[in-house]
Amino acid sequence: MPEIKVTPLGAGQDVGRSCILVSIAGKNVMLDCGMHMGYNDDRRFPDFSYITQNGRLTDFLDCVIISHFHLDHCGALPYFSEMVGYDGPIYMTHPTKAICPILLEDYRKITVDKKGETNFFTSQMIKDCMKKVVAVHLHQTVQVDEELEIKAYYAGHVLGAAMFQIKVGCESVVYTGDYNMTPDRHLGAAWIDKCRPDLLISESTYATTIRDSKRCRERDFLKKVHETVERGGKVLIPVFALGRAQELCILLETFWERMNLKAPIYFSTGLTEKANHYYKLFITWTNQKIRKTFVQRNMFEFKHIKAFDRAFADNPGPMVVFATPGMLHAGQSLQIFRKWAGNEKNMVIMPGYCVQGTVGHKILSGQRKLEMEGRQILEVKMQVEYMSFSAHADAKGIMQLIRQAEPRNVLLVHGEAKKMEFLKQKIEQEFHVSCYMPANGETTTILTNPCIPVDISLGLLKRETAIGPLPDAKKPKLMHGTLLMKDNSFRLVSPEQALKELGLAEHQLRFTCRVHIQDPRKEHETVLRVYNHLKGILKDYSVQHLPDGSITVESILIQATAHSEDQGTKVLLVSWTYQDEELGSYLTSLLKKGLPQST
Amino acid sequence: MAAHLKKRVYEEFTKVVQQQHEDLSTKKLRLTKPSKSAALHVDLCKATSPADALQYLLQFARKPVEVESVEGVVRILLEHYYKENDASVRLKIASLLGLLSKTAGFSPDCIMDDAINTLQNEKSHQVLAQLLDTLLVIGTKLPENPSVRMRLVEVACKHLTDSSHGVRNKCLQLIGCLGPVEKGVAKEAESQAAKDVQKIIGDHFNDQDPRVRTAAIKAMLQLHERGLKLQQAIYSQACKLLADDYEQVRSAAVQLIWVLSQLYPESIVPIPSSNEEIRLVDDAFGKICHMVSDGSWVVRVQAAKLLGSMQQVSSHFLEQTLDKKLMSDLRRKRTAHERAKELYSSGEFSSGRKWGDDAPKEEIDTGAVNLIESGACGAFVHGLEDEMYEVRIAAVEALCMLAQSSPSFAEKCLDFLVDMFNDEIEEVRLQSIHTMRKISNNITLREDQLDTVLAVLEDSSRDIREALHELLCCTNVSTKEGIHLALVELLKNLTKYPTDRESIWKCLKFLGSRHPTLVLPLVPELLSTHPFFDTPEPDMDDPAYIAVLVLIFNAAKSCPTMPALFSDHTFRHYAYLRDSLSHLVPPLRLPGRKLVSSTVSPSITPHEDPSQQFLHQSLERVYNFQHLDPQGIQELLEFTIRDLQRLGELQSELAGMADFTATYLQCQLLLIKALQEKLWNVAAPLYLKQNALASAAAKQILEETYKMEFMYSGVESRQVVIIHHMRLQAKALQLIVTARTTRGVEPLFGLCEKFLQEVDSFQRCFISELPHMQGSFVDKLLDLMPRLVTSKPSEVVKILQTTLRQSTFLHLPLPEQLHRATANIIEPTGESDNPLRFTSGLVVALDVDATLEHVQDPQGTVKVQVLYPDGQAQLIHPKPADFRNPGPGRHRLITQVYLSHTAWTEPCQIEVRLLLAYNSNKSKASTRIPKSTWSESLEALPPSENGIEGTIPFSKPVKVYIMPKPARR
């Protein structure tokens, strides 16, 4: 039985370090190649030695697919391709290919320059790695080799995020990466057609959550900002450079536009500017509104949002500032926070989750006095708000995707085990498909039942379909033919052709049967009676009385001779080829019943 | 057969007509134009290759064919069809057959047999499909022939087994369009057939080709549209199609389910996998709700739209559509809506958000959570959050329709609608505001909802703001804080966008009159009165102060205790505002302010009747003036006109009526004045001045009659007759004046004839009204008609003159409702001192914003006129999309006018105004008279009567200061 094997090297019952190995019909594919944010040792990268101990990875992997540019999905890529060694193709979408190196470079800088680690990948390695990347378009079917093909679907989440369908022959796997089923201000919702894959590998970050509508959150956010600005206060929004930051920018930008507000909005420079550039470029990947209006104006060409300068923080009057990083643990956002924390008119809005130990986490948990470096005590008088903007599908969204794709099996990754358990149970209950949730390093085997395509000659097909009633929709149909398995290909041909091709002589198979009839008359009279009888019954067939005294019904031959011992008994010899078995046996049973009494 | 045909063709080709003259001396030969069929035949015979033939056919198809020769052409085509081997040519012929059968006046039953015959031997699927299409055309052309239809349907059924989807498609389409729909006919055979048609189509719901499946559903829907009652058994089949792989099938299936749910709302269907049963409409509602989260947005839009029209659904299911259970880590969470409501009911409003405010509460039983509800759960929640705005708009519309029929649902959907006010697409925001307005009598806004609603007041889009003002006009607010909040926000809006003044005042007027008791406690604060101290008198010209006063005075109307709280200057301001902004400030009964009340209240307040009475009385008086001397008549008319005009200014409801009658009287007055001149009998050319007066009067009357006819909405045929009659009189006057001023008789001939034609057409158009016009000008004229026709122009003029003098003044009956079309240009304001500078030769766009009231079909009639100082006038037709329709009878024109001119030395003012274009051809009279008489008279009407087009200025001109600069080299 053919099977699909899935082994998560990361993200199995875990969030972070996404890396899943799939072997399908003899092809090995690696899905994502991420790093883990929680570790600083070897555990931060997937254990590639699982694939092969010695020998190059290229020999074992047919291709690598990266779903989107978040570091937990692509962070280990330079390490994997340059340091471990992989020369095969790497597939990602165009925006991912554009933005990925920026983030990798940033990541490298922080690890090497700030933390002083050695034995890490270099800028050159990132460049070399990127050279191996093949960019794909949405819905473009890419032939990796003759049998393996992949296809990208839109996934929402971040710019360029995609779901990938991997297909070999009739077997297919869909890997979702991270996706979002509800649209936001700059991206649309994930969409997939009814591709009915054998296996759907889905993320399950919010497996046990059903979220409220986005509108309430957005409205709250805007109202908070608006009120503070109207009061003359300053608003600080700590963000990470990519993803949510752009969504919030769009949100504020359109709001400013709509409400005709004049207060300045600043965006801390650096990474973001570069990223915004790409957002401007990849308009086709954004949502309907941005796509439709970009002819008049590209939404990412912000009218109200300007680059931030350090000196602006001391300017009087209201302003809104987006600053990195998002958890207030260092950098510009922290500096601005320190300056503004003392004034109760000001406000800080945390748009995402904060890790324990960061300033962000402290103020969110209600701490009002913070101890800074040098034993300074910072009193926080400004308002602290929390708004969650997250772009993962919730439980309902995951179910919706499963409904759309109609997979035969589901496998959950990228989530916590406990939460997965719940979702798994729900999926099995509602869709009646089996659901798996392997841990890291654990292999799941899924049996498939692939269909095998067979070539058939058009003539044979037409001939066979012409027999009997009209082909009924989607119902299997019985056909006669000879299956030829030759040179690794299957063909259905007519028997004559098969014989010819194989150089075999045709053998005739005939059935003969004797039927005794009590009839005292002469032979030819009996024959005539039989003939009349059959003629009367078998109206649709051609019944002929041949001059030599035999009867043919189609190709079936009937001869009558008198019994050698008893002249009153006539022996009817019925003979037919095996193709006419049906009619032949019907005829004999008919004749066995005897002839009707002639009047 | 072929020989016969050919003979026939040649007969058509040349026709020899012998004309026998009386003297028999000459014989003339005339060639008729070669008929089309013959030409085609020749062409087709010439064609050597299929490509050639195809070319000929294509050329042939471009030209129309006369009805008489259609049959001949068809025969030729058929003949060629049988001979042709190339499928593409046959295809073209088949399509031409269909095209030809469509020719108006041609009855295709004669070619039907041939068309059916061609089907028999056809092998090509494409040609077959095209032939079936032709049969469909033929069948639709013969609607009253059931046997033909039966035959065609049979033919179609036979071809349903074809292996090509195109052929099956067409067959189904044909069956759908032509299948018998008569039910309950006496003959059983027919009803049997009807049943069969449904079954035949139903069988193809499972066809292997999605296009055929779609066609089958569409055919079924077609049958339904044609009046066949579909069987309930189809429902289960249709439900299965909802899970189809192809979107067009799903989309059609949704429609079919909707149709069935409307046909059998109350029948009971079982729920699969349980032994419960529910109403069919509920089941269908659940299924369509499910489709709101379909993968294809086309289906989503379709589903969302249809939801709105399923009003029979039970409330239990309806309310589920807004339900979405939230959870976080398997613990139940409340939605933001619920939290807001709770905050509000606990009396603690606008508390700052803390982290974990939305912390999940109780644990959820994992078994009980149903992630994909099969029912209607959360359909609208999904629909309103959809990615495509088309879906969102459809969902909002559906919400609106459902909420209008169910108050409890309206209350529930409020939160969601309010949320939509923040949508990213303006259309959606606007739509949801309009929706809210439509359901506003079912709902009361909570304070937090009001807060969100009011936040939109700052929107920079004028449409949005004004829609919101409209909404506030008819909202119910629950608390006095709510009123206060609304007032504060509106005032904020006013300072930010001063142009919204009128709209805001109007909004406050309604807000005040709807909530008098809520305004009452706010009065001291709003007027900033103090129990002990006198406060400074606010500035009377401050729009914000006026806004507050409008709110208070309107509330005071139904709250008699309120005036006691007013301070002295408030009363003074009331008197002022009552006079200057009478449409916003209602009349009040103010105690102790006799001065104010005595002048205003008794005359108008108690009822509206007295003013109407006054109107009628004064008209009565006028119509009875026969016994007065001419001088007295004139005076009476003048006074009455003055009275009416003043009445119109005072009583806005009667303005249209008063103006209308005043105009009419004015016309009469002019006519009398013109006829009064004693000098008519003297030799004309000596009295040029007098003539000028009379001809000017005639001209003015003509103008006024056009105004009366086209500027008022609600004018009925009774009035139109009178107006036309007045116009006829004016024309008679014109004729007389011309006759007296011109020498010679020659030009008069034409004029007289024209006038008589007009009288004639008047008679024809208004034949039914003539009995009511005893003793009038036209009545007398028609009596004299035989004499007029035969007499000379000079005599005609004489007769006209006497009739005109003797004719009585016609009583003008008033319709129930009469409104004058008005326009008000809001922008440009005409106050700017800064000239609009632009380089000469280039174009500058001037934004024009105007409100139009009581204009029918503004898209067709309203024009913008720009008058340059050099007398040059430019007429601009605004695009239909520039007109918006904010309410019944009201329109809004927001457009851009492009100006250009050569260079000027200094800035100068141009005038912009709105014109109402009219065309006497499309006059109201002609549309009102019965169809039959119209169609007869149409051809007979002289061309002069057909095309009088003109424009009536109906807005005050606005001056715009512009300065085209010379271009720099």
Side-chain angles (χ1 to χ4, degrees), chain A residues 185 188 191 196 209-213 215 219-220 223 258-259 288 385-386 403 419 426 430 470 473, chain B residues 161 206 245 290 293 295 327 329 336 353 355 369-370 384-385 389-390 419 422 452 459-460 496:
Chain A
R185 285 286 167 155
W191 179 88
R196 299 197 175 90
T209 302
I210 300 174
R211 267 178 311 171
D212 198 356
S213 115
R215 287 175 200 288
R219 200 184 57 214
D220 270 355
K223 206 170 135 196
R258 255 181 70 195
M259 298 302 183
Q288 187 195 21
E385 294 289 343
Y386 173 73
R403 187 159 75 95
K419 297 182 182 176
K426 284 288 152 198
E430 295 197 16
L470 187 83
Chain B
T161 47
N206 301 322
D245 280 10
H290 200 56
S293 49
M327 63 174 191
D329 285 352
R353 170 85 75 90
W355 192 29
V369 183
N370 192 6
L384 293 176
E385 271 185 53
Y389 83 94
E390 292 90 341
D419 275 351
N422 280 319
T452 324
D459 202 295
S460 60
K496 203 161 174 180

Side-chain angles (χ1 to χ4, degrees), chain B residues 22-41:
Chain B
E22 283 147 81
D23 54 0
L24 290 165
S25 60
T26 51
K27 284 180 178 171
K28 278 185 182 169
L29 193 71
R30 201 178 70 194
L31 279 172
T32 53
K33 255 174 41 183
S35 93
K36 290 223 38 163
S37 54
L40 176 70
H41 179 76

